[in-house]
Amino acid sequence: MAPGLARTRLKDRRRVRNHLDSIHAIAICNVGEATTGLAMMTRIPKGARAILVGLSAEYLKKSRGTLTAEADCPDIPDATERDLPLTATLRDRDGDVVATVLARWRVGPDRRAG
């Protein structure tokens, strides 16, 4: 983790595999969503909150072995309500992109903070 950057890993193990013996689509979505959320949380300003309002994935290659997901988040200048689309790119151990996950976060003022 660094400001605006998150990198996570998903180990390939039996409980995340599907009937085709590759990593399940929803496991990929979960790690993609979590990775974008971590990147966003390093940039969210004080007095703001975020909630996931959309999630989609594109599967490019069968996913086997440990996957690495990476997401970047631009600076979020204030708590003004906005939608923030963030993409996580998932790569296999050879560096091939196996999937991309697009998460749409709604960032806005934390009404509990005031």
Coordinates of all heavy atoms in Angstrom, one line a residue, residues 22-112:
S22 N -10.4 -23.6 -12.2 CA -9.8 -22.3 -12.2 C -10.4 -21.4 -11.2 O -11.4 -21.8 -10.5 CB -9.9 -21.6 -13.6 OG -11.3 -21.4 -14.0
I23 N -9.8 -20.3 -10.9 CA -10.4 -19.4 -9.8 C -11.7 -18.9 -10.2 O -11.9 -18.4 -11.3 CB -9.4 -18.3 -9.5 CG1 -8.1 -18.9 -9.0 CG2 -10.0 -17.3 -8.5 CD1 -7.0 -17.9 -8.7
H24 N -12.7 -19.0 -9.3 CA -14.0 -18.6 -9.5 C -14.2 -17.1 -9.8 O -13.5 -16.3 -9.2 CB -14.9 -19.0 -8.3 CG -16.3 -19.0 -8.5 ND1 -17.1 -17.9 -8.6 CD2 -17.2 -20.1 -8.7 CE1 -18.4 -18.3 -8.9 NE2 -18.4 -19.6 -8.9
A25 N -15.1 -16.8 -10.7 CA -15.4 -15.5 -11.1 C -15.7 -14.5 -9.9 O -15.2 -13.4 -9.9 CB -16.6 -15.4 -12.1
I26 N -16.5 -15.0 -9.0 CA -16.8 -14.2 -7.8 C -15.6 -13.9 -6.9 O -15.5 -12.9 -6.3 CB -18.1 -14.7 -7.1 CG1 -19.3 -14.7 -8.0 CG2 -18.3 -13.9 -5.8 CD1 -19.6 -13.3 -8.6
A27 N -14.8 -14.9 -6.8 CA -13.5 -14.7 -6.0 C -12.7 -13.6 -6.7 O -12.1 -12.7 -6.0 CB -12.7 -16.0 -5.9
I28 N -12.7 -13.5 -8.0 CA -11.9 -12.5 -8.7 C -12.6 -11.1 -8.4 O -12.0 -10.1 -8.2 CB -11.9 -12.8 -10.2 CG1 -10.9 -14.0 -10.4 CG2 -11.5 -11.6 -11.0 CD1 -10.9 -14.6 -11.8
C29 N -14.0 -11.1 -8.5 CA -14.7 -9.9 -8.2 C -14.4 -9.4 -6.8 O -14.2 -8.2 -6.6 CB -16.2 -10.1 -8.4 SG -16.8 -9.7 -10.0
N30 N -14.4 -10.3 -5.9 CA -14.2 -9.9 -4.5 C -12.8 -9.3 -4.3 O -12.7 -8.3 -3.6 CB -14.3 -11.1 -3.5 CG -15.8 -11.5 -3.3 OD1 -16.7 -10.7 -3.5 ND2 -16.0 -12.8 -2.9
V31 N -11.8 -9.9 -4.8 CA -10.5 -9.3 -4.6 C -10.3 -8.0 -5.4 O -9.7 -7.1 -4.9 CB -9.3 -10.3 -5.0 CG1 -9.2 -10.5 -6.5 CG2 -8.0 -9.9 -4.3
G32 N -10.9 -7.9 -6.5 CA -10.9 -6.6 -7.3 C -11.6 -5.5 -6.5 O -11.1 -4.4 -6.4
E33 N -12.8 -5.8 -6.0 CA -13.5 -4.8 -5.2 C -12.7 -4.4 -4.0 O -12.6 -3.2 -3.6 CB -14.9 -5.3 -4.8 CG -15.7 -4.4 -4.0 CD -15.6 -4.6 -2.5 OE1 -15.3 -5.7 -2.1 OE2 -15.8 -3.6 -1.8
A34 N -12.2 -5.3 -3.3 CA -11.4 -5.0 -2.0 C -10.2 -4.2 -2.4 O -9.8 -3.3 -1.6 CB -11.0 -6.3 -1.4
T35 N -9.5 -4.5 -3.5 CA -8.3 -3.8 -3.9 C -8.6 -2.3 -4.2 O -7.9 -1.4 -3.8 CB -7.6 -4.5 -5.0 OG1 -7.3 -5.9 -4.6 CG2 -6.2 -3.9 -5.3
T36 N -9.7 -2.1 -5.0 CA -10.1 -0.7 -5.3 C -10.4 0.0 -4.0 O -10.1 1.2 -3.9 CB -11.2 -0.6 -6.3 OG1 -12.4 -1.2 -5.8 CG2 -10.8 -1.3 -7.6
G37 N -11.1 -0.7 -3.1 CA -11.5 0.0 -1.9 C -10.3 0.4 -1.0 O -10.3 1.4 -0.4
L38 N -9.3 -0.5 -1.0 CA -8.1 -0.1 -0.2 C -7.4 1.1 -0.8 O -7.0 2.0 -0.1 CB -7.2 -1.4 -0.2 CG -7.6 -2.5 0.7 CD1 -6.8 -3.7 0.4 CD2 -7.5 -2.1 2.2
A39 N -7.3 1.1 -2.2 CA -6.7 2.2 -2.8 C -7.4 3.5 -2.5 O -6.8 4.6 -2.2 CB -6.6 2.0 -4.3
M40 N -8.8 3.4 -2.6 CA -9.6 4.6 -2.3 C -9.4 5.1 -0.9 O -9.4 6.3 -0.6 CB -11.0 4.3 -2.7 CG -11.9 5.5 -2.5 SD -13.6 5.2 -1.9 CE -13.4 3.7 -0.9
M41 N -9.4 4.2 0.0 CA -9.3 4.5 1.4 C -8.0 5.3 1.8 O -8.0 6.0 2.8 CB -9.5 3.3 2.4 CG -10.9 2.7 2.3 SD -12.3 3.9 2.5 CE -12.1 4.3 4.2
T42 N -7.0 5.1 1.0 CA -5.7 5.8 1.2 C -5.9 7.3 0.8 O -5.0 8.1 1.1 CB -4.5 5.2 0.5 OG1 -4.7 5.4 -0.9 CG2 -4.4 3.7 0.9
R43 N -6.9 7.6 0.0 CA -7.1 9.0 -0.5 C -8.3 9.7 0.0 O -8.5 10.9 -0.2 CB -7.2 8.9 -2.0 CG -6.0 8.4 -2.8 CD -5.0 9.5 -2.9 NE -4.0 9.2 -3.9 CZ -3.0 9.9 -4.1 NH1 -2.7 11.0 -3.4 NH2 -2.1 9.5 -5.1
I44 N -9.2 9.0 0.7 CA -10.5 9.6 1.1 C -10.2 10.7 2.2 O -9.5 10.4 3.1 CB -11.5 8.5 1.6 CG1 -12.9 9.1 1.6 CG2 -11.1 7.9 2.9 CD1 -14.0 8.0 1.5
P45 N -10.8 11.9 2.0 CA -10.5 12.9 2.9 C -11.3 12.8 4.2 O -12.3 12.1 4.3 CB -10.9 14.2 2.1 CG -11.9 13.7 1.1 CD -11.5 12.3 0.8
K46 N -10.8 13.5 5.2 CA -11.5 13.5 6.5 C -12.9 14.0 6.3 O -13.1 15.0 5.6 CB -10.7 14.3 7.5 CG -11.3 14.3 8.9 CD -10.4 15.0 9.8 CE -11.0 15.0 11.2 NZ -10.1 14.8 12.3
G47 N -13.9 13.4 7.0 CA -15.2 13.9 6.8 C -16.0 13.3 5.7 O -17.1 13.7 5.4
A48 N -15.3 12.4 5.0 CA -16.0 11.7 3.8 C -16.2 10.2 4.1 O -15.6 9.7 5.0 CB -15.1 11.9 2.5
R49 N -17.1 9.6 3.3 CA -17.3 8.2 3.4 C -17.5 7.7 2.0 O -17.7 8.5 1.1 CB -18.5 7.9 4.3 CG -19.8 8.5 3.9 CD -20.6 7.8 2.9 NE -21.8 8.4 2.5 CZ -22.1 8.8 1.2 NH1 -21.2 8.6 0.3 NH2 -23.2 9.3 0.9
A50 N -17.5 6.4 1.8 CA -17.8 5.8 0.5 C -18.6 4.6 0.6 O -18.5 3.9 1.6 CB -16.4 5.6 -0.2
I51 N -19.3 4.3 -0.5 CA -20.1 3.1 -0.6 C -20.0 2.6 -2.0 O -20.0 3.4 -2.9 CB -21.5 3.2 -0.1 CG1 -22.2 1.9 0.0 CG2 -22.3 4.2 -1.0 CD1 -23.5 1.9 0.7
L52 N -19.9 1.3 -2.2 CA -19.9 0.7 -3.5 C -21.3 0.7 -4.1 O -22.2 0.3 -3.5 CB -19.4 -0.8 -3.4 CG -19.2 -1.5 -4.7 CD1 -17.9 -1.0 -5.4 CD2 -19.0 -3.0 -4.4
V53 N -21.4 1.3 -5.3 CA -22.7 1.4 -6.0 C -22.7 0.6 -7.3 O -23.8 0.5 -7.9 CB -23.1 2.8 -6.2 CG1 -23.3 3.5 -4.9 CG2 -22.1 3.6 -7.0
G54 N -21.6 0.1 -7.8 CA -21.5 -0.7 -9.0 C -20.3 -1.5 -9.1 O -19.2 -1.2 -8.5
L55 N -20.4 -2.7 -9.7 CA -19.3 -3.6 -9.8 C -19.4 -4.5 -11.1 O -20.5 -5.0 -11.3 CB -19.2 -4.5 -8.6 CG -18.0 -5.4 -8.4 CD1 -16.7 -4.6 -8.2 CD2 -18.2 -6.4 -7.3
S56 N -18.4 -4.5 -11.9 CA -18.4 -5.3 -13.1 C -17.0 -5.9 -13.3 O -16.0 -5.3 -12.8 CB -18.9 -4.5 -14.3 OG -18.0 -3.5 -14.6
A57 N -17.0 -7.0 -14.0 CA -15.7 -7.6 -14.3 C -15.6 -8.1 -15.7 O -16.6 -8.4 -16.3 CB -15.5 -8.8 -13.3
E58 N -14.4 -8.1 -16.2 CA -14.1 -8.7 -17.5 C -13.1 -9.8 -17.3 O -12.0 -9.5 -16.8 CB -13.6 -7.6 -18.5 CG -13.4 -8.1 -19.9 CD -13.1 -7.1 -20.9 OE1 -13.0 -5.9 -20.5 OE2 -12.9 -7.4 -22.1
Y59 N -13.4 -11.0 -17.8 CA -12.5 -12.1 -17.6 C -11.8 -12.4 -18.9 O -12.5 -12.7 -19.9 CB -13.3 -13.3 -17.1 CG -14.1 -13.0 -15.9 CD1 -15.5 -12.7 -16.0 CD2 -13.5 -13.0 -14.6 CE1 -16.2 -12.4 -14.8 CE2 -14.2 -12.6 -13.5 CZ -15.6 -12.3 -13.6 OH -16.3 -12.0 -12.5
L60 N -10.5 -12.3 -18.9 CA -9.8 -12.4 -20.2 C -9.1 -13.7 -20.4 O -8.7 -14.1 -21.5 CB -8.7 -11.3 -20.2 CG -9.3 -9.9 -20.0 CD1 -8.2 -8.9 -19.7 CD2 -10.2 -9.5 -21.1
K61 N -8.8 -14.5 -19.3 CA -8.0 -15.7 -19.4 C -8.4 -16.6 -18.2 O -8.7 -16.0 -17.1 CB -6.5 -15.4 -19.4 CG -5.6 -16.5 -19.4 CD -4.1 -16.0 -19.4 CE -3.2 -17.2 -19.2 NZ -1.8 -16.8 -19.1
K62 N -8.4 -17.9 -18.3 CA -8.6 -18.8 -17.1 C -7.6 -18.4 -16.1 O -6.4 -18.2 -16.4 CB -8.4 -20.2 -17.5 CG -9.7 -20.8 -18.1 CD -9.5 -22.3 -18.1 CE -10.8 -22.9 -18.7 NZ -10.7 -24.4 -18.9
S63 N -8.0 -18.3 -14.9 CA -7.2 -17.8 -13.8 C -6.7 -19.0 -12.9 O -7.5 -19.7 -12.3 CB -8.0 -16.9 -12.9 OG -8.4 -15.8 -13.7
R64 N -5.4 -19.2 -12.9 CA -4.8 -20.3 -12.1 C -3.6 -19.8 -11.5 O -2.9 -18.9 -12.0 CB -4.5 -21.5 -13.0 CG -5.8 -22.2 -13.5 CD -5.5 -23.6 -14.1 NE -6.7 -24.2 -14.4 CZ -7.2 -24.5 -15.7 NH1 -6.4 -24.1 -16.7 NH2 -8.3 -25.1 -15.9
G65 N -3.3 -20.3 -10.3 CA -2.1 -19.9 -9.6 C -2.4 -18.6 -8.8 O -3.5 -18.0 -8.9
T66 N -1.5 -18.1 -8.1 CA -1.7 -16.9 -7.3 C -1.9 -15.7 -8.2 O -1.1 -15.5 -9.2 CB -0.4 -16.6 -6.4 OG1 -0.3 -17.7 -5.4 CG2 -0.6 -15.3 -5.6
L67 N -2.9 -14.9 -7.9 CA -3.2 -13.7 -8.7 C -2.8 -12.5 -7.9 O -2.9 -12.4 -6.7 CB -4.7 -13.6 -9.0 CG -5.3 -14.8 -9.8 CD1 -6.8 -14.5 -10.1 CD2 -4.5 -15.0 -11.1
T68 N -2.3 -11.4 -8.6 CA -2.0 -10.2 -8.0 C -2.9 -9.1 -8.6 O -3.0 -9.0 -9.8 CB -0.5 -9.8 -8.2 OG1 0.3 -10.8 -7.7 CG2 -0.2 -8.4 -7.6
A69 N -3.6 -8.4 -7.7 CA -4.5 -7.3 -8.1 C -3.9 -6.0 -7.7 O -3.3 -5.9 -6.7 CB -5.9 -7.5 -7.4
E70 N -4.0 -5.0 -8.6 CA -3.5 -3.7 -8.4 C -4.5 -2.7 -8.8 O -5.2 -2.8 -9.8 CB -2.2 -3.5 -9.1 CG -1.5 -2.3 -8.8 CD -0.1 -2.2 -9.4 OE1 0.7 -3.1 -9.1 OE2 0.2 -1.2 -10.1
A71 N -4.6 -1.6 -8.0 CA -5.6 -0.5 -8.3 C -4.9 0.8 -7.8 O -4.2 0.8 -6.8 CB -6.9 -0.7 -7.5
D72 N -5.2 1.8 -8.6 CA -4.7 3.2 -8.4 C -6.0 4.0 -8.1 O -7.0 3.8 -8.7 CB -4.0 3.7 -9.5 CG -2.7 3.0 -9.8 OD1 -1.9 2.9 -8.9 OD2 -2.4 2.6 -10.9
C73 N -5.8 5.0 -7.2 CA -6.9 6.0 -7.0 C -6.3 7.4 -7.1 O -5.3 7.7 -6.4 CB -7.5 5.8 -5.6 SG -8.8 6.9 -5.2
P74 N -6.9 8.3 -7.8 CA -6.5 9.7 -7.9 C -6.8 10.4 -6.5 O -7.5 9.8 -5.7 CB -7.3 10.3 -9.0 CG -8.6 9.5 -9.0 CD -8.1 8.1 -8.6
D75 N -6.2 11.5 -6.4 CA -6.5 12.3 -5.2 C -8.0 12.7 -5.1 O -8.6 12.9 -6.2 CB -5.7 13.6 -5.2 CG -5.8 14.4 -4.0 OD1 -5.7 13.8 -2.9 OD2 -5.9 15.7 -4.0
I76 N -8.6 12.6 -4.0 CA -10.0 13.0 -3.7 C -9.9 14.3 -2.9 O -9.6 14.3 -1.7 CB -10.7 11.9 -3.0 CG1 -10.7 10.6 -3.7 CG2 -12.2 12.3 -2.8 CD1 -11.2 9.4 -2.9
P77 N -10.2 15.4 -3.6 CA -9.9 16.7 -2.9 C -10.7 17.1 -1.7 O -10.3 17.8 -0.8 CB -10.1 17.7 -4.1 CG -10.9 17.1 -5.1 CD -10.7 15.6 -4.9
D78 N -12.0 16.6 -1.7 CA -12.9 17.0 -0.6 C -14.0 15.9 -0.6 O -14.0 15.0 -1.3 CB -13.4 18.4 -0.8 CG -14.1 18.6 -2.2 OD1 -14.9 17.7 -2.6 OD2 -13.9 19.6 -2.9
A79 N -15.0 16.2 0.3 CA -16.1 15.3 0.6 C -17.3 15.5 -0.3 O -18.4 15.0 -0.1 CB -16.5 15.3 2.0
T80 N -17.2 16.4 -1.4 CA -18.3 16.6 -2.3 C -18.7 15.3 -2.9 O -17.9 14.5 -3.3 CB -17.8 17.6 -3.4 OG1 -17.4 18.8 -2.8 CG2 -19.0 17.8 -4.4
E81 N -20.1 15.1 -2.9 CA -20.6 13.8 -3.5 C -20.2 13.7 -4.9 O -20.3 14.6 -5.7 CB -22.1 13.7 -3.3 CG -22.6 12.3 -3.6 CD -23.9 12.0 -3.1 OE1 -24.2 12.4 -1.9 OE2 -24.7 11.5 -3.8
R82 N -19.7 12.5 -5.2 CA -19.3 12.1 -6.6 C -19.2 10.6 -6.7 O -19.0 9.9 -5.7 CB -17.9 12.8 -6.9 CG -16.8 12.2 -6.1 CD -15.4 12.7 -6.4 NE -15.2 14.1 -6.4 CZ -14.9 14.8 -5.2 NH1 -14.8 14.2 -4.1 NH2 -14.8 16.1 -5.3
D83 N -19.3 10.1 -8.0 CA -19.0 8.7 -8.3 C -17.5 8.6 -8.7 O -17.1 9.5 -9.5 CB -19.9 8.2 -9.3 CG -21.3 7.8 -8.8 OD1 -21.5 8.1 -7.6 OD2 -22.1 7.3 -9.5
L84 N -16.9 7.6 -8.2 CA -15.4 7.5 -8.5 C -15.2 6.1 -9.0 O -15.3 5.1 -8.3 CB -14.7 7.6 -7.2 CG -13.1 7.5 -7.2 CD1 -12.6 8.6 -8.1 CD2 -12.6 7.6 -5.8
P85 N -15.1 5.9 -10.3 CA -14.8 4.6 -10.9 C -13.3 4.2 -10.8 O -12.4 5.0 -11.1 CB -15.2 4.8 -12.4 CG -15.0 6.2 -12.7 CD -15.2 7.0 -11.4
L86 N -13.1 3.1 -10.2 CA -11.7 2.6 -10.0 C -11.6 1.2 -10.6 O -12.5 0.4 -10.5 CB -11.3 2.5 -8.5 CG -11.3 3.9 -7.8 CD1 -11.0 3.7 -6.3 CD2 -10.3 4.8 -8.4
T87 N -10.5 0.9 -11.3 CA -10.3 -0.4 -11.9 C -9.1 -1.1 -11.2 O -8.1 -0.6 -10.9 CB -9.9 -0.2 -13.4 OG1 -11.0 0.5 -14.0 CG2 -9.6 -1.5 -14.0
A88 N -9.4 -2.4 -10.9 CA -8.3 -3.3 -10.4 C -7.9 -4.2 -11.6 O -8.8 -4.8 -12.3 CB -8.8 -4.1 -9.3
T89 N -6.7 -4.4 -11.8 CA -6.1 -5.3 -12.8 C -5.6 -6.5 -12.1 O -4.7 -6.3 -11.2 CB -5.1 -4.5 -13.7 OG1 -5.6 -3.4 -14.3 CG2 -4.5 -5.4 -14.8
L90 N -6.0 -7.6 -12.5 CA -5.5 -8.9 -11.9 C -4.6 -9.6 -12.9 O -5.0 -9.8 -14.1 CB -6.7 -9.8 -11.6 CG -7.5 -9.3 -10.3 CD1 -8.5 -8.3 -10.7 CD2 -8.1 -10.5 -9.6
R91 N -3.4 -10.0 -12.4 CA -2.4 -10.7 -13.3 C -2.1 -12.0 -12.6 O -2.1 -12.1 -11.4 CB -1.2 -9.8 -13.4 CG -1.4 -8.5 -14.1 CD -0.1 -7.7 -14.1 NE -0.4 -6.4 -14.7 CZ -0.4 -6.1 -16.0 NH1 -0.2 -7.0 -16.8 NH2 -0.7 -4.9 -16.4
D92 N -1.7 -12.9 -13.5 CA -1.2 -14.2 -13.0 C 0.3 -14.2 -12.8 O 0.9 -13.1 -12.9 CB -1.6 -15.4 -14.0 CG -1.0 -15.3 -15.3 OD1 0.0 -14.5 -15.5 OD2 -1.5 -16.0 -16.2
R93 N 0.9 -15.3 -12.4 CA 2.3 -15.3 -12.0 C 3.2 -15.0 -13.2 O 4.3 -14.6 -13.0 CB 2.7 -16.6 -11.4 CG 2.5 -17.8 -12.3 CD 2.9 -19.1 -11.6 NE 2.3 -20.2 -12.3 CZ 1.4 -21.0 -11.9 NH1 0.9 -20.8 -10.7 NH2 0.9 -21.9 -12.7
D94 N 2.7 -15.2 -14.4 CA 3.5 -14.8 -15.6 C 3.3 -13.3 -16.0 O 3.9 -12.9 -17.0 CB 3.0 -15.7 -16.8 CG 3.3 -17.2 -16.6 OD1 4.4 -17.4 -15.9 OD2 2.6 -18.0 -17.1
G95 N 2.5 -12.6 -15.3 CA 2.2 -11.2 -15.6 C 1.1 -11.0 -16.6 O 0.9 -9.8 -16.9
D96 N 0.5 -12.0 -17.0 CA -0.6 -11.9 -18.0 C -1.9 -11.3 -17.2 O -2.2 -11.8 -16.1 CB -1.0 -13.2 -18.6 CG 0.1 -13.7 -19.5 OD1 0.9 -12.9 -20.0 OD2 0.2 -15.0 -19.7
V97 N -2.6 -10.4 -17.9 CA -3.8 -9.9 -17.3 C -4.9 -11.0 -17.5 O -5.1 -11.4 -18.6 CB -4.2 -8.6 -18.0 CG1 -5.6 -8.1 -17.4 CG2 -3.2 -7.5 -17.7
V98 N -5.5 -11.4 -16.4 CA -6.5 -12.4 -16.4 C -7.9 -11.8 -16.3 O -8.9 -12.4 -16.7 CB -6.3 -13.6 -15.4 CG1 -5.0 -14.3 -15.7 CG2 -6.3 -13.0 -14.0
A99 N -8.0 -10.6 -15.6 CA -9.3 -10.0 -15.4 C -9.1 -8.5 -15.1 O -8.0 -8.1 -14.6 CB -10.0 -10.7 -14.3
T100 N -10.1 -7.8 -15.3 CA -10.2 -6.4 -14.8 C -11.5 -6.3 -14.1 O -12.5 -6.8 -14.5 CB -10.1 -5.3 -15.9 OG1 -11.1 -5.5 -16.9 CG2 -8.7 -5.4 -16.6
V101 N -11.5 -5.6 -13.0 CA -12.7 -5.3 -12.2 C -12.9 -3.8 -12.1 O -12.0 -3.1 -11.6 CB -12.6 -6.0 -10.8 CG1 -13.8 -5.7 -9.9 CG2 -12.4 -7.5 -10.9
L102 N -14.1 -3.4 -12.5 CA -14.4 -2.0 -12.4 C -15.4 -1.8 -11.2 O -16.5 -2.4 -11.2 CB -15.1 -1.5 -13.7 CG -15.6 0.0 -13.6 CD1 -14.5 1.0 -13.4 CD2 -16.4 0.3 -14.9
A103 N -15.0 -1.0 -10.2 CA -15.8 -0.7 -9.0 C -16.2 0.7 -9.1 O -15.3 1.6 -9.3 CB -15.0 -1.0 -7.8
R104 N -17.4 1.0 -8.9 CA -17.9 2.4 -8.9 C -18.2 2.7 -7.4 O -19.2 2.2 -6.8 CB -19.1 2.6 -9.8 CG -19.4 4.1 -10.0 CD -20.4 4.3 -11.2 NE -21.4 3.3 -11.3 CZ -22.7 3.6 -10.8 NH1 -23.0 4.7 -10.2 NH2 -23.6 2.6 -10.9
W105 N -17.5 3.7 -6.8 CA -17.6 4.1 -5.5 C -18.3 5.4 -5.4 O -18.0 6.3 -6.2 CB -16.3 4.2 -4.8 CG -15.6 2.9 -4.6 CD1 -14.7 2.3 -5.5 CD2 -15.8 2.0 -3.5 NE1 -14.3 1.1 -5.0 CE2 -14.9 0.9 -3.8 CE3 -16.5 2.0 -2.4 CZ2 -14.8 -0.2 -2.9 CZ3 -16.4 0.9 -1.5 CH2 -15.6 -0.2 -1.8
R106 N -19.3 5.6 -4.6 CA -19.9 6.9 -4.3 C -19.3 7.5 -3.1 O -19.4 6.9 -2.0 CB -21.4 6.8 -4.1 CG -22.1 8.1 -3.9 CD -23.4 8.3 -4.5 NE -23.5 7.9 -5.9 CZ -24.6 7.2 -6.4 NH1 -25.6 6.9 -5.6 NH2 -24.6 6.9 -7.7
V107 N -18.6 8.6 -3.3 CA -17.9 9.3 -2.2 C -18.7 10.5 -1.9 O -19.2 11.2 -2.8 CB -16.5 9.7 -2.6 CG1 -15.8 10.5 -1.6 CG2 -15.6 8.5 -3.1
G108 N -18.9 10.8 -0.6 CA -19.6 11.9 -0.2 C -19.4 12.2 1.3 O -18.6 11.5 2.0
P109 N -20.1 13.3 1.8 CA -19.8 13.7 3.2 C -20.4 12.6 4.1 O -21.4 12.0 3.9 CB -20.6 15.0 3.3 CG -21.6 15.0 2.1 CD -21.0 14.1 1.1
D110 N -19.6 12.4 5.2 CA -20.0 11.5 6.2 C -21.0 12.2 7.2 O -20.5 13.0 8.0 CB -18.8 10.9 7.0 CG -19.2 9.8 8.0 OD1 -20.4 9.7 8.3 OD2 -18.3 9.2 8.5
R111 N -22.2 12.0 7.0 CA -23.2 12.8 7.8 C -23.2 12.4 9.3 O -23.7 13.2 10.2 CB -24.6 12.5 7.3 CG -24.7 13.1 5.8 CD -26.0 13.0 5.2 NE -26.2 13.1 3.8 CZ -25.5 13.6 2.9 NH1 -24.3 14.1 3.2 NH2 -25.8 13.7 1.6
R112 N -22.5 11.3 9.6 CA -22.3 11.0 11.1 C -21.2 11.8 11.7 O -21.1 11.8 12.9 CB -22.0 9.5 11.2 CG -23.1 8.6 10.7 CD -22.6 7.1 10.6 NE -21.4 7.1 9.7 CZ -20.5 6.1 9.7 NH1 -20.7 5.1 10.4 NH2 -19.5 6.2 8.9

